[in-house]
Structures are given as C-alpha cells and as structure tokens.
Amino acid sequence: MGNSRPRRAARPAEPGPVRGSHHERRAAPGPSRAPWVVLALLLLVLAGAIGALLVRVLGLFEEPGPPRSLRDLAVVCREGRAHEQAAPYRGGAPHPAVVFGEGPSSWLTTAGEGRGEPAPEEIQVVACSSRVGRLSEEPAMACPYLSGHAVHYFAARYRVEVYEARTRRRLGDFTLDATQPHPCPVSEVFAEDEPLTEREFHPEDEAYLAGLAPFVAGR
C-alpha cells in the first residue's frame, strides 16, 4: 500500500436557523407611547389656560354685574337678549331709557324732562330703532359736489321697539317719520365709479324723546 495521509471524518454542520424564519428575526420593541400621551395632555391644558387668560384680558365675554357702559345694554337690540343685571323696570317714574338707532348719534338717553343724563346702571328701558322704508322714491334733498358727484336724501319711516332692559319684556313700540332736511355736509367721500350716493333722513333727537316720554313717565 502506498503512503496515504489519514483522513478525518468531517463533522456534520450544526443546524442553524433557517434564514427568513420567524425564529431568526423578531421585531424590536417600539418606543413607549406613554410620554407622548402625557405631553399631548399637557399641551391641551396649557392651551386652555392661555385661552382663558385671553378671554379675560380681551373681554370677550361680559363679567357679571350692572352695565358699565351703554354698549353693555346694546345687547338688547343687537343680540336680542336681556341684560340680567340692568336696573329693573318697577316702582314709580322716572324710568331712565336709552334708544339705539342709526345716524350720527347711535344712542340717546333720557331720564325725563328736566333731569340729567342717566348713568348706564340706572337705565331701565332700552329702545331699538330700525328703518322700515322710504316714504317716497323721490329724493327730498340733493347735495351737489365737484366733478359731478351728488348725495340724494330720502324721507324715511322708522319703527322703535321698547323693552325692559333686565328681562327684554316688550313694553310697546312707536313709529317716527324722518322728513326734516338738514344742511348739506361740507365734504363727502365718493367711490370713483359711483358719482351718486343715496341716504335716508334720520329722526331728530326731539322726536325720539317725545316717543319715549310715555315709557319714561309711565306707571
């Protein structure tokens, strides 16, 4: 026999994991959601606190208490609701009143003839004036200006509805016809493509005071 090197018996390879099997790869555990949930809740609380602060600072809602200005009483006309802290309409006259309307003076107050202007917390009656329509389609007055511009004024009718400020209980109503011409304003502003402007007359203060007199002096 010739020289031959001894041979080792080869060991069978140890079985290993099969590539791609579920035993080889496992999904790594993801980050916990708890910190993110807590952070989101903290942000919501912070946003609520900031919103509440802005509401208080900017005065977006009325604070409880008597009206501090006539604007507080305008909710009776503008929003159709009572001002629950307004002076009650009871007892003997006078019953101080305010009328909200259109025109150069958006409001007018009265506590009766010969009396001073009432404070907002004394107002018991709120009157709301609104234009019903024109009395004629023919202008009652014309005010000409340079470059062919003009303003035409029309006579108009207004309805005034009267309420108790504290409850918005309807006390009555009356109508006023605005027919009184007035001097033309010294200057006006016109759009370039609108040389003619139309406006309505507004009731005089004396007419409002006369209409409110029965409510102020009533009972």
Side-chain angles (χ1 to χ4, degrees):
M1 296 181 57
N3 293 333
S4 61
R5 296 180 180 178
R7 296 183 180 180
R8 291 183 180 178
R11 289 185 179 181
E14 295 182 0
V18 179
R19 185 175 298 275
S21 70
H22 67 278
H23 297 288
E24 177 187 6
R25 298 179 180 177
R26 293 184 180 180
S32 174
R33 295 185 180 181
W36 296 103
V37 173
V38 173
L39 179 59
L41 291 176
L42 289 176
L43 290 176
L44 288 175
V45 172
L46 181 60
I50 294 176
L53 179 61
L54 288 176
V55 165
R56 183 173 295 275
V57 172
L58 298 178
L60 299 180
F61 294 98
E62 290 183 354
E63 294 291 337
R68 297 180 177 87
S69 67
L70 295 175
R71 183 177 59 182
D72 295 337
L73 293 164
V75 298
V76 177
C77 299
R78 186 179 63 246
E79 301 178 17
R81 62 183 179 89
H83 192 300
E84 297 179 353
Q85 299 300 319
Y89 184 77
R90 64 188 178 201
H95 303 287
V98 59
V99 57
F100 294 99
E102 306 170 359
S105 298
S106 59
W107 53 265
L108 175 70
T109 61
T110 178
E113 188 175 357
R115 295 183 174 88
E117 184 175 342
E121 62 269 19
E122 298 174 327
I123 299 291
Q124 302 177 16
V125 177
V126 173
C128 309
S129 177
S130 59
R131 179 166 53 87
V132 177
R134 294 176 177 175
L135 297 178
S136 173
E137 290 305 315
E138 292 296 323
M141 186 178 78
C143 295
Y145 295 90
L146 296 176
S147 303
H149 292 84
V151 178
H152 287 179
Y153 289 89
F154 296 81
R157 175 164 293 170
Y158 292 77
R159 176 180 292 112
V160 184
E161 298 182 347
V162 187
Y163 300 94
E164 179 184 1
R166 190 176 188 130
T167 63
R168 207 177 184 271
R169 176 172 61 93
R170 194 169 184 274
L171 302 176
D173 65 83
F174 59 92
T175 58
L176 297 176
D177 289 342
T179 60
Q180 186 65 37
H182 52 74
C184 292
V186 175
S187 63
E188 286 283 355
V189 177
F190 298 89
E192 292 184 3
D193 57 344
E194 295 181 0
L196 177 63
T197 299
E198 295 183 352
R199 296 191 182 130
E200 289 76 25
F201 290 140
H202 298 287
E204 301 291 322
D205 288 355
E206 292 75 13
Y208 278 123
L209 295 177
L212 286 172
F215 302 96
V216 175
R219 288 199 194 180

